[in-house]
Amino acid sequence: MRVVTGVVGNDVHVVANRLIEISLKERGFDVYNLGVNTYLEEFLDALIETDAELLLISSLNGEAEGWCRNLKALKSKYNFRSNPLFVIGGNLGVGEMDPDALIPKFKAYGFDLVYHQKDLNESLDEVEEVLKQRIEV
Amino acid sequence: MRVVTGVVGNDVHVVANRLIEISLKERGFDVYNLGVNTYLEEFLDALIETDAELLLISSLNGEAEGWCRNLKALKSKYNFRSNPLFVIGGNLGVGEMDPDALIPKFKAYGFDLVYHQKDLNESLDEVEEVLKQRIEV
Amino acid sequence: MSIFQREREIITRNEFVDNFDFIEIEEFIKSADKNLFISHHFKYSNKMLVQPRGGFPTYEKVFKLYEEFLQAGVDVLPLTIDSNTRLNDYATAGKMLALSEEDDVDMLNGYPLINHGYRTTRKMMTHFNKPVSLRHGTPDARLLVEMALASGIFEIEGGPITYLLPYSKNFPLDKAFLYWKYVEKLCALYSTYNEPINRESFGPLSATLQPPVIVIVIQLIEMLLSLEEGVKSFSVSFSQSGSMIQDIVTANVLMKMAHRYATEFGYGDADIHLVYHQWMGAFPYNKEYSDALITASTVIASMVKADKIITKTRNEAFGIPTKEANARAVASVQYTLKTLKGLPVVKDEEEEEHLETMVKDIMEAVFNDSADTLWRKVFNSIKNGIIEIPFSPHIINANEVITARDPDGNIRIYERGKLPISDRCFEYEKSQIKIEKGSSVVEKIIKDIGIML
Amino acid sequence: MSIFQREREIITRNEFVDNFDFIEIEEFIKSADKNLFISHHFKYSNKMLVQPRGGFPTYEKVFKLYEEFLQAGVDVLPLTIDSNTRLNDYATAGKMLALSEEDDVDMLNGYPLINHGYRTTRKMMTHFNKPVSLRHGTPDARLLVEMALASGIFEIEGGPITYLLPYSKNFPLDKAFLYWKYVEKLCALYSTYNEPINRESFGPLSATLQPPVIVIVIQLIEMLLSLEEGVKSFSVSFSQSGSMIQDIVTANVLMKMAHRYATEFGYGDADIHLVYHQWMGAFPYNKEYSDALITASTVIASMVKADKIITKTRNEAFGIPTKEANARAVASVQYTLKTLKGLPVVKDEEEEEHLETMVKDIMEAVFNDSADTLWRKVFNSIKNGIIEIPFSPHIINANEVITARDPDGNIRIYERGKLPISDRCFEYEKSQIKIEKGSSVVEKIIKDIGIML
Ligand code: B12
Ligand code: B12
């Protein structure tokens, strides 16, 4: 299974990104890590190039919303063969946010799974579960 | 002006008592300090003996209520020539108390002025003010 | 039947006590779980043990308190006794307990152990299966300690001096020595049944400008009096002074001298532990500052390498803390201990030597008293002011020593009273205190008491 | 007109900047109140200065934040810049600022200073009349610093390495050096008008398992590059490592070497200050633990004798703190500093010598590079891995050095990459790291990153 990952926008928090790469590799993924400071277009281009089944975006510096609100419009311009799962996680709001408000917001932007201040490993377990179900269906 | 002071009940907190003695003396009072572990009867006896105009009781260990609830009944047995002012202060309840509930309670027991967790010097200023007014009346 | 056993029979029989079954108690202690013994934890744990303070009038409230503590990761549970019981006034304690149970308002500032009895209390102790420390402040604690040990409480705090001078106005000192002799004997006896019972002295004293030399002398004396009776596990203690370096110096000298005197007197086989009390003086009326004080104090406890720390709470200035506030402090102290790493080993040779000299001077004077037994020498020494503690409410206390802080916060001796310390040492102490021009000693002392406000 | 002035004219003229009046700015700085200069406070204050972090998109919110800080007893105000401005993306910053002003939702993680302009911002700075520190993380900070100084912000954080390697992915390093040369020159120029402008390096770097030797080398280099241009007041800094003794050793070696190199290079007249950052790594998700971490960190800052401490908040793990949480930390840190007394002077001669040797080895290697200027030598040294920082997102970073903690929490070098440290030193470092059997290095590193969780 292929996964494209990285940190979106003007965000240089690289530590989680390094650990996520390690975790995904340990879970048997083929990892394409675009690193920090990656724009939405670059992620979508990479999905096209790699045919990855999973896009796993991090955002830590609180600016996710500004960078992701156009995802739906952008998606419509691409033609994905693999119907990838769109996942975002990390610290998705500036300041302390109500997670119940954040999650529907990012889903409306076009993400399938949204993890705000969640444990990495538990979340990845869930992501894998959803991927498995998708394939079975 | 004479004042009887001390710490009521099974209460050995002596530090405030020492400082109060110093403060009262500095304010020009004639101080009769009965010290810690003093029972209500001993305070009233001392008022009779000294003809003091002021009784200033401390309680710190939270047991004031148990030791003072009988003040009214006890007072009625004594015959004060000086109509002393009854004042209690310190830390008057066990645990955190609503001061608005404590003050009327201790007033009902027979105290004229009640100071729960109040600044010593500001309170003594007030006490002196009340004493002055009493004398003027 | 030995005289001691005869005395025990008398002590444990009064209108407030319900049939004391010595045989059953012996069985209980012999088969008690090792986890109930703090002496066992001292041996096998390599972290600083964390113990809060706490006690409520009713069984239910103490039970809930312990549940809260366990969740917070407590190492040692406290059982704090109410003031009436401390003064052996079980009648008032009983009355107030009844009122507390009826009205759900706490009319006591602790747990009236005699009125509850050991059968009830033991249920709680074995249920939680943690070491429990008895905290009281009672000069005549004979019945209380019988009751505590029978309940499964295997650490007993206090001593004839440390629970008398700060806690009593006129309880006779000689009686206190004899009553504590009973307690030591009892602890020694029960120590032969299973793990040793730990005795702990109460170093904070009146918690107000106590000079380290006095704290150390009293700790050493209570330790010796206890080991003399056969106690095998003893904790010396002191409380945060307000100066980090003074705490370190105190700890170093205290532990060094404790081991030296124990060995010299032939008790080299006893285990000696160091207990640190978080700031015992007046707390700020700001809870966030209290939190900060508690953490800073935990760091200092780590610097002095204490074996156990006794915690305060953010409610300290206000009144008996809620169980939540109390548990919060435990969790926070454990967090700090877990994350605090790489502590340096600090010494201050000059200050340590100076302090050691003063301690030795006073100890020598005590030993040189003409009485036949140690406790009588100590009794005489207190009576004639060779030992005294500032801010004691007790009538026997000489009340001549005056202390104040130097600019680094160290507590120094301003008037030595009859303390037999050399002129050289005294001059050094006094010269450290700087009093601002135009300010009085009393003003300085008031400021020095309120140093944490 | 000098080349430098010509450059300034160009830099300060773009579509986001509204007419830069150099003459008026010079007048303003010449007559500015001394209180605005941190260099002035460093000279006359005998306490550790307390500075929080903070910045909001709108003027009003920053104003309210400063009011809150003042009430809490702040010594130095922060102005943190948003990430878009840091990347010179003023268009996005402007868009997000407009959104923030409209919706009352913060769409930026800091203050977009360029978009606000110096005329507006200066009103705030002179109103509060406190020293302000500019915190950004910008490789090309030329316009930003012009704007800051014109606003009355007289401390500028950062440097060509410390604001590049941790904060950027692919900004060209040689450009960063040149842009910072501009900043240094500007600060030096303005330092001649009134009190010196203070420059501060950013020692925390990527805040993740940074070995002290690298931190120190980078601090020394940025200091020298700054003093070379005529800056007269400089702060070296580092952040809490997770080991108290390592922090003390780092501080001792850093200050000693800073003075030595400054003198050696002929800048003995510059003032050098020490800044300590409270824990900069991942914070616990428990706010009470965060409070404890903040206090413990304050105690350590006192042990290392920092001149200034930069605070975190109990909200750190969650997001940009509210002004209340931020002010609370300031008040609490001030309380701890006020009540913490009697700090010992601690040294660890062996560790200090070991660290000093490694620092000298790397400094020598840098100086021995064949390039003609210091910045070029440094540039080459980074390019060939003689200097690198773990967990840098930057493409130029060698990414070969691996670090982990020893059992005392000290950060040690596990793989040295191309760091020119001797075999002896490296062997000592590596030998300190103990990896549990059955555990991998990666597992150990993950645990070591999350040491405060
Ligand atoms: C030092 C201390 C001790 C020392 C006392 C030494 C001694 N002999 O004096 C020791 C360690 C021995 C001790 C023992 C106990 N203590 Co104590 N102690 C304190 C502590 C930490 C400081 C008290 C102090 O000296 N403050 C400095 C002086 C100068 O201030 P103050 O006493 O607050 O008095 C000021 C004001 O109250 C006011 N004031 C006082 N009286 C009056 C009167 C008037 C008319 C006015 C206007 C003002 C006024 O003026 C003073 C100057 O500002 C307080 C908590 C705190 N405040 O931080 C607990 C505290 C008072 N103790 C408490 C308790 C319960 C006890 C014990 C029962 C043990 C226990 N359960 O922990 C025993 C008591 C034994 C007994 N029989 O009384 C509780 C009381 C609980 C409550 N009120 O709800 C407190 C509040 C701690 C707590 N949070 O649990 N204690
Ligand atoms: C270290 C750090 C830095 C370092 C980063 C070094 C580097 N190059 O990586 C430095 C000092 C350079 C830095 C800079 C900045 N930082 Co910063 N930083 C932190 C800090 C303290 C720790 C981050 C970290 O490394 N954690 C350890 C890793 C392993 O954990 P993590 O990042 O949280 O990731 C975990 C989870 O989020 C999750 N996860 C992450 N991604 C994903 C994705 C998916 C799909 C899933 C399921 C899970 C998941 O898994 C990870 C492992 O558990 C955090 C606060 C905190 N958390 O305590 C602030 C923080 C992230 N930073 C913040 C900010 C604002 C900044 C700055 C803008 C400066 C500023 N204003 O202070 C600049 C950013 C510049 C930029 N352009 O981005 C804010 C973000 C605000 C918000 N979200 O509201 C935080 C929260 C601090 C704060 N409270 O203000 N920072």
Side-chain angles (χ1 to χ4, degrees):
Chain A
M1 196 105 60
R2 278 154 309 217
V3 52
V4 168
T5 193
V7 186
V8 71
N10 288 339
D11 188 341
V12 300
H13 291 91
V14 77
V15 184
N17 178 257
R18 296 266 162 89
L19 302 184
I20 287 172
E21 174 167 341
I22 295 170
S23 291
L24 289 171
K25 280 187 179 154
E26 270 177 4
R27 285 166 188 262
F29 282 95
D30 231 347
V31 185
Y32 298 89
N33 187 357
L34 309 183
V36 301
N37 275 8
T38 302
Y39 298 98
L40 220 45
E41 291 80 354
E42 300 176 86
F43 282 118
L44 299 193
D45 290 347
L47 283 177
I48 295 289
E49 279 163 33
T50 63
D51 264 346
E53 290 89 348
L54 173 61
L55 171 63
L56 203 139
I57 292 180
S58 286
S59 171
L60 285 316
N61 75 353
E63 298 181 342
E65 203 180 330
W67 294 101
C68 296
R69 33 170 53 180
N70 297 327
L71 176 61
K72 226 167 211 161
L74 204 62
K75 256 178 160 178
S76 65
K77 297 191 197 137
Y78 284 78
N79 199 347
F80 301 112
R81 271 157 308 193
S82 52
N83 181 25
L85 189 69
F86 280 70
V87 181
I88 188 164
N91 196 339
L92 302 179
V94 177
E96 241 173 300
M97 289 287 154
D98 179 8
D100 298 338
L102 269 180
I103 292 169
K105 195 184 262 177
F106 279 89
K107 290 210 164 160
Y109 293 159
F111 288 98
D112 300 305
L113 296 171
V114 181
Y115 297 99
H116 176 58
Q117 297 181 350
K118 282 281 154 56
D119 180 77
L120 178 62
N121 268 314
E122 285 169 24
S123 307
L124 290 185
D125 287 349
E126 217 178 282
V127 170
E128 287 199 280
E129 194 53 45
V130 173
L131 277 177
K132 228 167 61 193
Q133 281 171 11
R134 280 200 163 201
I135 291 162
E136 278 164 11
V137 170
Chain B
M1 196 99 65
R2 278 152 311 218
V3 53
V4 169
T5 193
V7 186
V8 70
N10 288 339
D11 188 342
V12 300
H13 291 90
V14 78
V15 183
N17 179 257
R18 296 265 162 89
L19 302 186
I20 286 171
E21 176 168 339
I22 295 171
S23 290
L24 290 171
K25 281 186 178 155
E26 272 177 3
R27 284 166 187 262
F29 282 95
D30 231 348
V31 184
Y32 299 89
N33 186 357
L34 309 183
V36 301
N37 275 8
T38 302
Y39 298 98
L40 220 45
E41 290 80 354
E42 300 176 87
F43 281 118
L44 299 192
D45 290 347
L47 282 178
I48 295 289
E49 280 163 34
T50 61
D51 265 347
E53 289 90 348
L54 174 60
L55 171 62
L56 203 139
I57 293 181
S58 287
S59 171
L60 286 314
N61 75 353
E63 297 182 342
E65 203 180 329
W67 293 101
C68 296
R69 34 170 52 182
N70 296 327
L71 177 61
K72 229 171 208 155
L74 204 62
K75 255 177 160 178
S76 66
K77 297 193 195 136
Y78 284 77
N79 197 348
F80 301 111
R81 272 157 308 190
S82 53
N83 180 27
L85 189 70
F86 281 70
V87 180
I88 189 164
N91 196 337
L92 302 179
V94 178
E96 241 173 300
M97 288 288 154
D98 179 9
D100 297 339
L102 269 179
I103 292 170
K105 196 184 261 179
F106 278 88
K107 291 213 164 160
Y109 292 159
F111 287 98
D112 300 306
L113 297 171
V114 180
Y115 297 98
H116 176 59
Q117 298 180 349
K118 281 282 154 58
D119 180 76
L120 178 61
N121 269 315
E122 285 170 23
S123 309
L124 290 184
D125 287 349
E126 215 178 285
V127 169
E128 286 199 280
E129 195 51 46
V130 173
L131 277 176
K132 229 170 59 195
Q133 281 170 9
R134 277 202 164 199
I135 290 162
E136 279 163 11
V137 170
Chain C
M1 198 188 282
S2 69
I3 310 184
F4 180 49
Q5 188 55 32
R6 191 114 26 110
E7 202 185 340
R8 296 184 66 196
E9 303 270 352
I10 297 164
I11 290 299
T12 53
R13 211 173 294 146
N14 78 36
E15 55 174 316
F16 301 98
V17 182
D18 165 36
N19 173 35
F20 226 79
D21 184 344
F22 289 108
I23 293 167
E24 190 275 340
I25 294 167
E26 184 173 333
E27 278 317 304
F28 161 66
I29 295 182
K30 281 187 173 154
S31 60
D33 194 300
K34 303 274 178 210
N35 276 315
L36 290 170
F37 295 85
I38 193 173
S39 53
H40 178 75
H41 293 267
F42 277 137
K43 242 175 258 155
Y44 295 102
S45 158
N46 51 16
K47 73 179 282 291
M48 194 188 302
L49 302 177
V50 177
Q51 178 192 307
R53 306 184 144 75
F56 286 111
T58 65
Y59 185 92
E60 284 66 36
K61 275 196 114 173
V62 175
F63 197 93
K64 289 214 180 97
L65 175 70
Y66 285 4
E67 286 182 323
E68 197 88 25
F69 280 147
L70 250 67
Q71 266 185 31
V74 78
D75 296 309
V76 182
L77 290 166
L79 190 66
T80 301
I81 303 302
D82 70 288
S83 323
N84 298 288
T85 301
R86 291 165 182 231
L87 298 165
N88 309 93
D89 184 355
Y90 311 127
T92 305
K95 215 173 66 190
M96 301 282 187
L97 171 60
L99 284 174
S100 306
E101 277 169 345
E102 268 167 38
D103 298 2
D104 204 31
V105 174
D106 296 340
M107 298 294 292
L108 290 168
N109 53 17
Y111 184 82
L113 175 58
I114 309 302
N115 304 85
H116 284 290
Y118 72 82
R119 290 181 179 81
T120 310
T121 307
R122 189 195 291 169
K123 275 189 207 125
M124 180 138 54
M125 304 307 152
T126 50
H127 170 81
F128 288 101
N129 203 30
K130 283 265 169 193
V132 180
S133 185
L134 184 74
R135 319 200 74 78
H136 44 129
T138 316
D140 177 4
R142 291 172 300 171
L143 177 57
L144 188 68
V145 173
E146 286 279 7
M147 204 62 100
L149 295 168
S151 305
I153 298 171
F154 297 146
E155 172 169 280
I156 307 295
E157 192 195 45
I161 309 169
T162 60
Y163 265 14
L164 190 88
L165 293 189
Y167 281 101
S168 166
K169 182 178 179 177
N170 52 15
F171 195 97
L173 179 56
D174 47 355
K175 277 197 181 176
F177 277 112
L178 295 173
Y179 296 157
W180 273 95
K181 208 179 173 71
Y182 176 105
V183 169
E184 309 298 358
K185 268 193 204 156
L186 187 62
C187 290
L189 173 68
Y190 280 180
S191 293
T192 62
Y193 293 171
N194 197 331
E195 296 296 319
I197 306 297
N198 192 64
R199 280 273 299 111
E200 179 175 318
S201 181
F202 179 69
L205 304 172
S206 79
T208 311
L209 295 179
Q210 305 296 295
V213 57
I214 290 181
V215 172
I216 294 176
V217 162
I218 294 176
Q219 291 304 294
L220 296 174
I221 289 172
E222 287 199 345
M223 177 192 77
L224 290 174
L225 288 171
S226 183
L227 301 187
E228 247 186 359
E229 302 301 331
V231 166
K232 292 290 171 218
S233 180
F234 194 91
S235 301
V236 290
S237 78
F238 70 102
S239 61
Q240 186 175 357
S241 66
S243 153
M244 185 193 282
I245 189 70
Q246 188 162 49
D247 287 348
I248 294 170
V249 166
T250 300
N252 290 350
V253 174
L254 175 54
M255 288 310 277
K256 179 175 165 189
M257 308 286 272
H259 283 117
R260 186 189 299 161
Y261 281 109
T263 310
E264 206 173 279
F265 280 70
Y267 317 122
D269 60 336
D271 285 329
I272 301 167
H273 317 287
L274 179 64
V275 172
Y276 186 79
H277 290 255
Q278 294 190 326
W279 178 250
M280 287 289 288
F283 253 67
Y285 276 95
N286 175 318
K287 292 190 181 175
E288 294 162 17
Y289 294 172
S290 296
D291 288 338
L293 177 51
I294 287 168
T295 302
S297 165
T298 307
V299 178
I300 300 173
S302 304
M303 300 284 299
V304 309
K305 318 241 176 278
D307 299 306
K308 185 174 88 175
I309 181 167
I310 305 183
T311 58
K312 286 263 169 167
T313 77
R314 66 199 325 253
N315 288 26
E316 178 63 15
F318 299 96
I320 307 273
T322 58
K323 62 182 191 315
E324 291 77 15
N326 217 330
R328 175 184 176 145
V330 170
S332 163
V333 168
Q334 293 285 25
Y335 172 78
T336 300
L337 293 178
K338 188 187 85 180
T339 53
L340 192 66
K341 299 219 161 83
L343 290 152
V345 177
V346 182
K347 276 206 244 336
D348 181 334
E349 271 158 32
E350 269 177 52
E351 281 291 338
E352 285 175 26
E353 204 191 296
H354 163 68
L355 180 54
E356 203 179 312
T357 308
M358 294 195 291
V359 170
K360 276 189 205 147
D361 285 347
I362 302 184
M363 290 300 279
E364 279 314 302
V366 174
F367 293 142
N368 285 338
D369 183 274
S370 60
D372 54 344
T373 62
L374 180 56
W375 79 258
R376 276 187 222 273
K377 289 174 195 277
V378 178
F379 174 67
N380 290 337
S381 302
I382 293 175
K383 232 172 44 181
N384 56 36
I386 283 182
I387 296 173
E388 70 153 289
I389 71 168
F391 294 97
S392 160
H394 201 280
I395 49 173
I396 202 174
N397 195 62
N399 278 346
E400 289 179 29
V401 171
I402 296 177
T403 54
R405 294 185 186 279
D406 72 16
D408 282 333
N410 299 304
I411 299 166
R412 302 288 189 180
I413 297 172
Y414 185 78
E415 292 293 349
R416 69 178 143 176
K418 302 204 174 56
L419 297 187
I421 55 175
S422 68
D423 292 347
R424 223 192 78 246
C425 285
F426 174 53
E427 271 151 32
Y428 174 73
E429 285 278 307
K430 187 158 181 164
S431 71
Q432 300 299 307
I433 301 168
K434 317 285 175 210
I435 293 171
E436 274 174 47
K437 268 191 199 116
S439 176
S440 71
V441 185
V442 172
E443 279 165 353
K444 171 99 177 86
I445 291 174
I446 291 177
K447 242 178 80 185
D448 287 348
I449 291 174
I451 195 185
M452 295 299 177
L453 295 184
Chain D
M1 199 189 281
S2 70
I3 310 182
F4 180 48
Q5 188 56 31
R6 195 115 25 112
E7 201 184 343
R8 294 183 67 196
E9 304 270 352
I10 298 163
I11 290 300
T12 54
R13 211 173 297 145
N14 76 37
E15 56 175 314
F16 302 98
V17 183
D18 165 37
N19 171 35
F20 226 78
D21 183 346
F22 289 109
I23 295 169
E24 190 275 342
I25 294 169
E26 183 174 331
E27 278 317 304
F28 161 65
I29 295 183
K30 280 186 172 155
S31 61
D33 196 300
K34 303 273 178 210
N35 277 313
L36 289 170
F37 294 85
I38 193 173
S39 54
H40 178 74
H41 293 266
F42 276 137
K43 243 176 254 155
Y44 295 103
S45 159
N46 50 16
K47 73 179 283 290
M48 193 188 301
L49 302 178
V50 176
Q51 176 190 311
R53 305 184 145 74
F56 287 110
T58 65
Y59 185 91
E60 285 65 38
K61 275 197 115 175
V62 174
F63 197 93
K64 289 212 179 100
L65 175 70
Y66 284 4
E67 286 183 323
E68 197 88 25
F69 279 147
L70 248 67
Q71 266 186 31
V74 79
D75 296 309
V76 182
L77 290 167
L79 190 66
T80 301
I81 303 303
D82 70 289
S83 324
N84 297 288
T85 303
R86 292 164 182 230
L87 298 165
N88 309 92
D89 182 356
Y90 312 127
T92 306
K95 214 174 67 189
M96 300 282 187
L97 171 61
L99 285 175
S100 305
E101 279 169 346
E102 267 167 39
D103 298 1
D104 205 31
V105 174
D106 298 339
M107 298 296 291
L108 289 168
N109 53 18
Y111 184 82
L113 176 58
I114 308 303
N115 304 84
H116 284 291
Y118 73 83
R119 290 180 178 81
T120 310
T121 307
R122 191 197 288 170
K123 278 190 203 122
M124 180 139 55
M125 303 308 152
T126 51
H127 171 81
F128 288 102
N129 202 29
K130 284 263 169 195
V132 180
S133 185
L134 183 76
R135 318 200 75 78
H136 44 130
T138 317
D140 176 5
R142 291 173 300 171
L143 176 57
L144 189 68
V145 173
E146 285 279 7
M147 203 63 101
L149 294 168
S151 305
I153 299 172
F154 297 146
E155 173 170 278
I156 307 296
E157 193 194 47
I161 309 170
T162 60
Y163 265 15
L164 188 88
L165 293 189
Y167 282 101
S168 166
K169 184 176 177 177
N170 50 15
F171 195 96
L173 179 55
D174 46 356
K175 277 197 181 178
F177 278 111
L178 294 173
Y179 296 156
W180 274 96
K181 205 178 175 73
Y182 177 106
V183 169
E184 309 298 358
K185 269 194 205 156
L186 187 61
C187 291
L189 172 68
Y190 280 178
S191 293
T192 62
Y193 293 172
N194 197 330
E195 296 295 319
I197 306 298
N198 192 64
R199 280 274 298 114
E200 180 176 318
S201 181
F202 179 69
L205 302 174
S206 79
T208 310
L209 296 180
Q210 304 298 296
V213 58
I214 289 180
V215 172
I216 294 177
V217 163
I218 293 175
Q219 290 304 294
L220 296 174
I221 289 173
E222 287 199 345
M223 178 192 76
L224 290 175
L225 289 171
S226 183
L227 302 187
E228 249 186 359
E229 303 300 332
V231 166
K232 292 291 172 218
S233 180
F234 194 90
S235 301
V236 290
S237 78
F238 70 101
S239 62
Q240 186 175 358
S241 67
S243 155
M244 186 193 283
I245 189 70
Q246 188 161 48
D247 287 347
I248 294 171
V249 166
T250 299
N252 291 349
V253 174
L254 175 54
M255 287 311 275
K256 180 176 164 189
M257 307 286 272
H259 283 118
R260 186 188 299 160
Y261 281 110
T263 310
E264 207 172 278
F265 279 70
Y267 317 122
D269 60 336
D271 285 329
I272 301 166
H273 317 287
L274 179 64
V275 172
Y276 186 79
H277 290 256
Q278 295 191 327
W279 179 248
M280 288 289 288
F283 254 66
Y285 275 96
N286 176 318
K287 293 190 181 175
E288 295 163 15
Y289 294 171
S290 296
D291 289 338
L293 177 50
I294 286 168
T295 302
S297 164
T298 308
V299 178
I300 300 173
S302 305
M303 302 283 299
V304 309
K305 316 240 179 280
D307 299 305
K308 183 174 90 174
I309 181 168
I310 305 182
T311 58
K312 285 264 168 166
T313 78
R314 64 197 328 252
N315 287 28
E316 178 64 14
F318 299 97
I320 306 275
T322 59
K323 64 181 191 314
E324 291 78 16
N326 217 331
R328 175 184 177 146
V330 170
S332 165
V333 167
Q334 293 285 25
Y335 173 78
T336 300
L337 293 178
K338 186 187 85 180
T339 53
L340 193 66
K341 299 217 161 81
L343 291 153
V345 177
V346 182
K347 277 207 242 339
D348 182 334
E349 273 159 30
E350 268 175 54
E351 282 290 340
E352 286 173 26
E353 206 191 296
H354 162 67
L355 180 54
E356 203 179 312
T357 309
M358 292 194 292
V359 171
K360 276 189 208 149
D361 284 347
I362 300 183
M363 290 300 278
E364 280 314 303
V366 174
F367 294 141
N368 286 338
D369 183 273
S370 59
D372 54 345
T373 63
L374 180 56
W375 80 257
R376 276 187 222 274
K377 288 173 195 276
V378 178
F379 173 67
N380 289 339
S381 301
I382 294 176
K383 232 172 44 181
N384 57 34
I386 283 182
I387 296 172
E388 70 152 291
I389 72 167
F391 294 99
S392 159
H394 201 281
I395 48 170
I396 202 175
N397 195 61
N399 278 344
E400 287 180 31
V401 170
I402 295 177
T403 55
R405 294 184 186 279
D406 72 16
D408 282 331
N410 299 304
I411 299 166
R412 302 290 189 179
I413 298 170
Y414 185 77
E415 293 292 351
R416 68 177 144 174
K418 301 204 174 56
L419 297 185
I421 56 176
S422 68
D423 291 347
R424 223 192 79 246
C425 286
F426 175 53
E427 270 151 33
Y428 174 73
E429 285 279 306
K430 185 158 183 165
S431 71
Q432 299 300 306
I433 300 166
K434 315 286 175 210
I435 292 169
E436 274 174 48
K437 266 190 202 121
S439 177
S440 71
V441 184
V442 172
E443 279 165 354
K444 172 98 176 84
I445 291 173
I446 291 177
K447 244 178 80 184
D448 287 348
I449 291 174
I451 193 183
M452 295 298 177
L453 295 184

